[in-house]
Amino acid sequence: MTNKLTAGGRFRKALQENQPLQIVGTVNAYSAMMAQRVGHQAIYLSGGGVANASYGLPDLGMTSMNDVLEDVRRITSAVETPLLVDIDTGWGGAFNINRAVKEMIKAGAAAVHLEDQVAQKRCGHRPNKEIVSLQEMVDRVKAAVDAKTDDDFFIIARTDAFQMEGLNAAVERAQACLEAGADGIFAEAVHTLDDYKAFSTGIKGAHLLANITEFGATPLFNKVELAENGATMVLYPLSAFRAMNKAALNVYQHLLDDGDQKAVIDTMQTRMELYDFLNYHDFEQKLDALFAEGKNK
C-alpha cells in the first residue's frame, strides 16, 4: 500500500515536476478552488492578503498567527493543492516560531516562508524597511527547522537585505539560511534578472523563489526568463486579489451611478459557473436523494 503524500510532500513533488513552479495567491477557499480547477500546482496565502482581505488592515505586521491559521484551515479544507503560507517574522522569538511551524503543519500547510525584517515589519516593496542581524535570522531559521513534524514540510527563508544592504550581503544571508536548514530562498524586491542569476550562483543552485508582484520593485518577468536565471519558484502573491478588487469596485460604482448592474453583467462569473466550481449539483442531488429516502419510509 502506497503512503499518501503529506502536504509538504505534494509541494516537493510539484516543485520537482515544474520548472519553475508557479505559485499563485489565493485569498480564500473559493479562489483556491478556482486556481486548482485551472490547473495550478501550488497556491499561496499572503500575510498582506490576510491583513487586507480578511481584516481590512495594511500589511504592517498587525495580524496574529491565529488570524492567518484561520484562513489556512479554510483553504486546506477546500483543496488538495499544496499551500505556501507567509508567516512574516514568525510572530515572536524562537518559541513563537517553533509553535507557528507546528501549527501550520497541523492546519494542512505545505510550506512557509519566514523573513528577516524586524517585528514591526513593512510590505517588502515599501521603503524604510529594517532587518535583524544575520545571526538573528539564522536563529529564526533554526527554530523553524527544529519545529518540523513532517520531514517534507518546506521552509523558505526570505531576505529583505537586498534593498537595505545590497546584493552581496543578501546573498551572504541566503547562504547562511541554507546552512541553517532552510529548503529554499526568497529574494525579495530585487531588480533585474542578473540579480536572480547572482542569487542562484551564490546559493549554488538551491531553490530560489522570485516574487513577481505587481506595482512593486521587481519587473514582471516571464517564468521562462526567470527559470533561465536560476528561479525554481515564481510567486504571484496578490494578482487575482487585485483583479477581484478592481472588478468589485467597478460594480459598486455602476450600481450607484446607473441604478442597476446591466452595464457590468458581462464582467461577472455566472451563477452556473459558480455552482460548477462548488460542485453544487452534487450536493443538491445528495439532498434530493435524502428527501426521497425519507418520503419512502
Side-chain angles (χ1 to χ4, degrees):
M1 181 176 175
T2 303
N3 291 329
K4 184 178 179 182
L5 287 174
T6 63
R10 294 197 303 276
F11 185 86
R12 289 177 186 271
K13 183 173 184 287
L15 191 53
Q16 185 177 16
E17 294 176 351
N18 296 269
Q19 288 84 38
L21 177 63
Q22 292 179 290
I23 308 171
V24 294
T26 54
V27 294
N28 54 34
Y30 183 63
S31 58
M33 293 170 77
M34 289 193 290
Q36 177 173 266
R37 178 78 70 88
V38 166
H40 282 287
Q41 300 298 299
I43 56 176
Y44 177 65
L45 183 64
S46 157
V50 172
N52 302 162
S54 295
Y55 294 93
L57 293 170
D59 182 19
L60 292 169
M62 298 165 69
T63 47
S64 70
M65 178 183 73
N66 285 328
D67 293 334
V68 176
L69 279 168
E70 184 64 37
D71 282 348
V72 171
R73 294 188 192 102
R74 289 172 176 173
I75 290 171
T76 59
S77 294
V79 299
E80 286 289 310
T81 307
L83 175 68
L84 167 64
V85 181
D86 177 2
I87 62 169
D88 289 336
T89 61
W91 297 291
F95 293 143
N96 304 78
I97 293 167
N98 185 286
R99 180 169 175 246
V101 168
K102 284 182 165 60
E103 291 296 326
M104 290 294 157
I105 295 172
K106 285 181 190 175
V112 295
H113 67 72
L114 176 69
E115 68 196 56
D116 58 359
Q117 286 197 53
V118 297
Q120 292 301 312
K121 60 152 288 174
R122 300 177 186 230
C123 168
H125 290 253
R126 297 294 299 156
N128 302 320
K129 295 182 292 186
E130 294 292 339
I131 56 175
V132 299
S133 69
L134 185 152
Q135 187 57 53
E136 184 171 344
M137 181 56 182
V138 166
D139 290 343
R140 286 180 181 181
V141 172
K142 287 180 178 178
V145 172
D146 287 346
K148 287 169 61 168
T149 55
D150 168 21
D151 289 340
D152 284 336
F153 191 74
F154 202 88
I155 293 175
I156 299 170
R158 167 178 148 175
T159 180
D160 287 71
F162 179 86
Q163 186 186 79
M164 309 305 301
E165 299 180 347
L167 177 63
N168 291 338
V171 171
E172 181 185 359
R173 281 183 177 243
Q175 292 167 339
C177 288
L178 290 169
E179 290 171 7
D183 297 295
I185 296 299
F186 178 158
E188 178 63 308
V190 301
H191 298 154
T192 70
L193 291 170
D194 286 341
D195 294 331
Y196 286 116
K197 190 70 171 178
F199 263 100
S200 179
T201 301
I203 61 177
K204 297 181 171 58
H207 286 296
L208 176 64
L209 182 147
N211 183 22
I212 306 302
T213 186
E214 304 80 17
F215 317 111
T218 307
L220 303 184
F221 297 121
N222 184 270
K223 68 173 186 176
V224 174
E225 55 190 350
L226 287 164
E228 289 172 346
N229 286 278
T232 61
M233 297 170 277
V234 185
L235 180 65
Y236 311 90
L238 293 169
S239 305
F241 176 59
R242 291 191 174 100
M244 293 174 199
N245 294 345
K246 186 75 170 181
L249 190 61
N250 187 44
V251 169
Y252 293 145
Q253 193 65 58
H254 274 278
L255 286 170
L256 190 65
D257 294 345
D258 304 342
D260 60 49
Q261 61 272 60
K262 293 171 188 172
V264 291
I265 197 74
D266 289 342
T267 68
M268 297 182 187
Q269 186 179 59
T270 68
R271 182 186 300 270
M272 293 309 296
E273 287 168 338
L274 173 69
Y275 286 178
D276 181 49
F277 278 104
L278 294 171
N279 298 313
Y280 176 90
H281 295 294
D282 291 344
F283 287 97
E284 194 170 57
Q285 287 166 12
K286 179 65 174 176
L287 193 60
D288 290 343
L290 289 170
F291 276 121
E293 185 180 316
K295 288 178 182 178
N296 292 330
K297 286 184 178 179

PDB file of all heavy atoms in Angstrom, residues 232-245:
ATOM      1  N   THR A 232      13.550  28.721  -9.277  1.00  0.00           N
ATOM      2  CA  THR A 232      12.822  27.447  -9.345  1.00  0.00           C
ATOM      3  C   THR A 232      11.362  27.603  -8.930  1.00  0.00           C
ATOM      4  O   THR A 232      10.563  26.695  -9.146  1.00  0.00           O
ATOM      5  CB  THR A 232      13.487  26.387  -8.456  1.00  0.00           C
ATOM      6  OG1 THR A 232      13.483  26.839  -7.088  1.00  0.00           O
ATOM      7  CG2 THR A 232      14.915  26.121  -8.907  1.00  0.00           C
ATOM      8  N   MET A 233      11.049  28.748  -8.331  1.00  0.00           N
ATOM      9  CA  MET A 233       9.669  29.068  -7.940  1.00  0.00           C
ATOM     10  C   MET A 233       9.368  30.503  -8.340  1.00  0.00           C
ATOM     11  O   MET A 233      10.228  31.374  -8.200  1.00  0.00           O
ATOM     12  CB  MET A 233       9.475  28.925  -6.417  1.00  0.00           C
ATOM     13  CG  MET A 233       9.678  27.534  -5.875  1.00  0.00           C
ATOM     14  SD  MET A 233       9.728  27.505  -4.047  1.00  0.00           S
ATOM     15  CE  MET A 233      11.458  27.951  -3.741  1.00  0.00           C
ATOM     16  N   VAL A 234       8.141  30.731  -8.836  1.00  0.00           N
ATOM     17  CA  VAL A 234       7.711  32.087  -9.176  1.00  0.00           C
ATOM     18  C   VAL A 234       6.401  32.353  -8.447  1.00  0.00           C
ATOM     19  O   VAL A 234       5.419  31.622  -8.626  1.00  0.00           O
ATOM     20  CB  VAL A 234       7.522  32.279 -10.695  1.00  0.00           C
ATOM     21  CG1 VAL A 234       7.184  33.736 -10.998  1.00  0.00           C
ATOM     22  CG2 VAL A 234       8.766  31.845 -11.459  1.00  0.00           C
ATOM     23  N   LEU A 235       6.399  33.386  -7.637  1.00  0.00           N
ATOM     24  CA  LEU A 235       5.257  33.710  -6.788  1.00  0.00           C
ATOM     25  C   LEU A 235       4.487  34.906  -7.340  1.00  0.00           C
ATOM     26  O   LEU A 235       5.090  35.918  -7.706  1.00  0.00           O
ATOM     27  CB  LEU A 235       5.750  34.020  -5.374  1.00  0.00           C
ATOM     28  CG  LEU A 235       4.706  34.381  -4.320  1.00  0.00           C
ATOM     29  CD1 LEU A 235       3.791  33.193  -4.044  1.00  0.00           C
ATOM     30  CD2 LEU A 235       5.399  34.831  -3.031  1.00  0.00           C
ATOM     31  N   TYR A 236       3.145  34.765  -7.378  1.00  0.00           N
ATOM     32  CA  TYR A 236       2.252  35.856  -7.774  1.00  0.00           C
ATOM     33  C   TYR A 236       1.297  36.078  -6.587  1.00  0.00           C
ATOM     34  O   TYR A 236       0.171  35.574  -6.581  1.00  0.00           O
ATOM     35  CB  TYR A 236       1.475  35.478  -9.039  1.00  0.00           C
ATOM     36  CG  TYR A 236       2.353  34.923 -10.141  1.00  0.00           C
ATOM     37  CD1 TYR A 236       2.612  33.559 -10.227  1.00  0.00           C
ATOM     38  CD2 TYR A 236       2.932  35.759 -11.090  1.00  0.00           C
ATOM     39  CE1 TYR A 236       3.428  33.039 -11.228  1.00  0.00           C
ATOM     40  CE2 TYR A 236       3.746  35.253 -12.099  1.00  0.00           C
ATOM     41  CZ  TYR A 236       3.988  33.886 -12.155  1.00  0.00           C
ATOM     42  OH  TYR A 236       4.793  33.365 -13.154  1.00  0.00           O
ATOM     43  N   PRO A 237       1.714  36.815  -5.579  1.00  0.00           N
ATOM     44  CA  PRO A 237       1.030  36.791  -4.277  1.00  0.00           C
ATOM     45  C   PRO A 237      -0.383  37.337  -4.259  1.00  0.00           C
ATOM     46  O   PRO A 237      -1.252  36.809  -3.570  1.00  0.00           O
ATOM     47  CB  PRO A 237       1.953  37.610  -3.375  1.00  0.00           C
ATOM     48  CG  PRO A 237       2.765  38.456  -4.302  1.00  0.00           C
ATOM     49  CD  PRO A 237       2.930  37.657  -5.546  1.00  0.00           C
ATOM     50  N   LEU A 238      -0.641  38.433  -5.002  1.00  0.00           N
ATOM     51  CA  LEU A 238      -1.942  39.102  -4.893  1.00  0.00           C
ATOM     52  C   LEU A 238      -2.520  39.471  -6.251  1.00  0.00           C
ATOM     53  O   LEU A 238      -3.386  40.348  -6.332  1.00  0.00           O
ATOM     54  CB  LEU A 238      -1.814  40.356  -4.017  1.00  0.00           C
ATOM     55  CG  LEU A 238      -1.505  40.090  -2.541  1.00  0.00           C
ATOM     56  CD1 LEU A 238      -1.136  41.377  -1.822  1.00  0.00           C
ATOM     57  CD2 LEU A 238      -2.686  39.421  -1.839  1.00  0.00           C
ATOM     58  N   SER A 239      -2.080  38.808  -7.312  1.00  0.00           N
ATOM     59  CA  SER A 239      -2.535  39.167  -8.661  1.00  0.00           C
ATOM     60  C   SER A 239      -4.044  39.035  -8.798  1.00  0.00           C
ATOM     61  O   SER A 239      -4.725  39.965  -9.259  1.00  0.00           O
ATOM     62  CB  SER A 239      -1.835  38.285  -9.695  1.00  0.00           C
ATOM     63  OG  SER A 239      -0.436  38.358  -9.562  1.00  0.00           O
ATOM     64  N   ALA A 240      -4.587  37.880  -8.423  1.00  0.00           N
ATOM     65  CA  ALA A 240      -6.030  37.663  -8.547  1.00  0.00           C
ATOM     66  C   ALA A 240      -6.805  38.585  -7.605  1.00  0.00           C
ATOM     67  O   ALA A 240      -7.862  39.114  -7.964  1.00  0.00           O
ATOM     68  CB  ALA A 240      -6.372  36.201  -8.267  1.00  0.00           C
ATOM     69  N   PHE A 241      -6.272  38.801  -6.412  1.00  0.00           N
ATOM     70  CA  PHE A 241      -6.926  39.673  -5.433  1.00  0.00           C
ATOM     71  C   PHE A 241      -7.060  41.095  -5.972  1.00  0.00           C
ATOM     72  O   PHE A 241      -8.114  41.724  -5.845  1.00  0.00           O
ATOM     73  CB  PHE A 241      -6.097  39.655  -4.144  1.00  0.00           C
ATOM     74  CG  PHE A 241      -6.578  40.586  -3.063  1.00  0.00           C
ATOM     75  CD1 PHE A 241      -7.852  40.487  -2.536  1.00  0.00           C
ATOM     76  CD2 PHE A 241      -5.721  41.559  -2.552  1.00  0.00           C
ATOM     77  CE1 PHE A 241      -8.275  41.344  -1.523  1.00  0.00           C
ATOM     78  CE2 PHE A 241      -6.138  42.413  -1.542  1.00  0.00           C
ATOM     79  CZ  PHE A 241      -7.417  42.305  -1.023  1.00  0.00           C
ATOM     80  N   ARG A 242      -6.000  41.592  -6.607  1.00  0.00           N
ATOM     81  CA  ARG A 242      -6.071  42.936  -7.179  1.00  0.00           C
ATOM     82  C   ARG A 242      -7.120  43.018  -8.295  1.00  0.00           C
ATOM     83  O   ARG A 242      -7.841  44.018  -8.408  1.00  0.00           O
ATOM     84  CB  ARG A 242      -4.695  43.349  -7.713  1.00  0.00           C
ATOM     85  CG  ARG A 242      -3.671  43.592  -6.621  1.00  0.00           C
ATOM     86  CD  ARG A 242      -2.404  44.260  -7.146  1.00  0.00           C
ATOM     87  NE  ARG A 242      -1.527  44.600  -6.036  1.00  0.00           N
ATOM     88  CZ  ARG A 242      -0.471  43.889  -5.652  1.00  0.00           C
ATOM     89  NH1 ARG A 242      -0.146  42.804  -6.326  1.00  0.00           N
ATOM     90  NH2 ARG A 242       0.256  44.257  -4.623  1.00  0.00           N
ATOM     91  N   ALA A 243      -7.185  41.963  -9.103  1.00  0.00           N
ATOM     92  CA  ALA A 243      -8.185  41.946 -10.176  1.00  0.00           C
ATOM     93  C   ALA A 243      -9.598  41.882  -9.601  1.00  0.00           C
ATOM     94  O   ALA A 243     -10.513  42.562 -10.090  1.00  0.00           O
ATOM     95  CB  ALA A 243      -7.935  40.746 -11.091  1.00  0.00           C
ATOM     96  N   MET A 244      -9.792  41.083  -8.566  1.00  0.00           N
ATOM     97  CA  MET A 244     -11.098  40.996  -7.901  1.00  0.00           C
ATOM     98  C   MET A 244     -11.524  42.358  -7.357  1.00  0.00           C
ATOM     99  O   MET A 244     -12.676  42.773  -7.498  1.00  0.00           O
ATOM    100  CB  MET A 244     -11.042  40.002  -6.727  1.00  0.00           C
ATOM    101  CG  MET A 244     -10.836  38.566  -7.091  1.00  0.00           C
ATOM    102  SD  MET A 244     -10.621  37.592  -5.561  1.00  0.00           S
ATOM    103  CE  MET A 244      -9.851  36.114  -6.227  1.00  0.00           C
ATOM    104  N   ASN A 245     -10.569  43.035  -6.722  1.00  0.00           N
ATOM    105  CA  ASN A 245     -10.875  44.335  -6.119  1.00  0.00           C
ATOM    106  C   ASN A 245     -11.304  45.351  -7.172  1.00  0.00           C
ATOM    107  O   ASN A 245     -12.270  46.107  -6.984  1.00  0.00           O
ATOM    108  CB  ASN A 245      -9.655  44.871  -5.373  1.00  0.00           C
ATOM    109  CG  ASN A 245      -9.293  44.033  -4.172  1.00  0.00           C
ATOM    110  OD1 ASN A 245     -10.088  43.212  -3.716  1.00  0.00           O
ATOM    111  ND2 ASN A 245      -8.102  44.216  -3.659  1.00  0.00           N
TER     112      ASN A 245
END
